[in-house]
Amino acid sequence: MPRTCHNHHMTTLKSKLKEDLTTAMKARDELTSSTLRLTLTAITKEEVSGKSARELSDDEVQKVIAREAKKRREAAEAFSQGGRTEQAEREKQEGELLDAYLPQQLSDDELAAIVASAVDEAKAGGAEGPRAMGAVMKIVNPKVAGRAEGGRVAAQVKKLLAG
């Protein structure tokens, strides 16, 4: 009897990337193909980087994707400052493509609200002023995990602590 148990098992993020890569290749979508291929390579590299090869969890795969997306954003900025609009546009599209695989990013208002409540929580714990930065970040990080970039979070925390 054929085993059908894998159907209701949730597809992992990595297998979704592989499926999307296959689709993109069939569609001759060069941008998507190359972006996903590079990302899968990065994931594989991560999987064999430790003492023993292992499958990455979806969370870890997300971290790799986020890192790749961030690289694209930084490259896009560098290219556009260097006046290389075409390359900048390409990097930007690759970054957006990767962002689609990540949890929905928090809006500025949502982030501000999370940070504000963390600041209150840190204050209640006796941490105040600029020194409270670490304490606040500790509270905020797990709450925004993957949904806002570190730099963005830190800026928001600094802003509220300064106020």
Side-chain angles (χ1 to χ4, degrees):
M1 195 177 143
R3 281 173 55 205
T4 50
C5 68
H6 68 263
N7 285 350
H8 54 245
H9 168 69
M10 226 182 80
T11 7
T12 62
L13 191 49
K14 186 177 157 190
S15 52
K16 176 156 176 35
L17 290 170
K18 283 187 170 156
E19 280 165 31
D20 291 352
L21 173 58
T22 312
T23 313
M25 283 162 70
K26 283 192 186 127
R28 299 192 188 285
D29 174 346
E30 194 274 324
L31 177 90
T32 306
S33 309
S34 75
T35 307
L36 293 181
R37 197 177 286 119
L38 284 167
T39 304
L40 282 161
T41 307
I43 292 167
T44 309
K45 234 171 60 193
E46 195 87 0
E47 289 183 329
V48 296
S49 68
K51 286 191 175 61
S52 55
R54 63 194 179 92
E55 282 279 326
L56 294 188
S57 71
D58 276 0
D59 274 352
E60 293 171 305
V61 169
Q62 264 173 11
K63 284 202 179 92
V64 175
I65 297 175
R67 206 170 55 216
E68 291 291 316
K70 190 178 172 198
K71 269 189 212 159
R72 302 296 188 288
R73 273 194 296 278
E74 287 167 354
E77 246 164 67
F79 278 135
S80 67
Q81 279 165 4
R84 297 165 69 183
T85 346
E86 234 170 84
Q87 281 101 325
E89 190 47 46
R90 159 108 192 184
E91 295 285 341
K92 203 175 131 235
Q93 287 174 338
E94 292 187 6
E96 281 164 8
L97 194 138
L98 291 172
D99 280 338
Y101 292 95
L102 297 171
Q104 224 19 73
Q105 295 293 298
L106 292 167
S107 70
D108 289 339
D109 292 346
E110 289 168 319
L111 182 58
I114 292 173
V115 171
S117 80
V119 168
D120 292 342
E121 205 177 309
K123 271 192 186 138
E128 270 190 73
R131 283 200 312 277
M133 180 95 188
V136 175
M137 291 298 283
K138 255 199 209 80
I139 301 166
V140 173
N141 281 333
K143 293 187 180 165
V144 300
R147 293 186 301 153
E149 243 172 29
R152 220 182 118 199
V153 179
Q156 185 68 45
V157 172
K158 278 199 190 100
K159 198 169 104 186
L160 281 181
L161 287 177

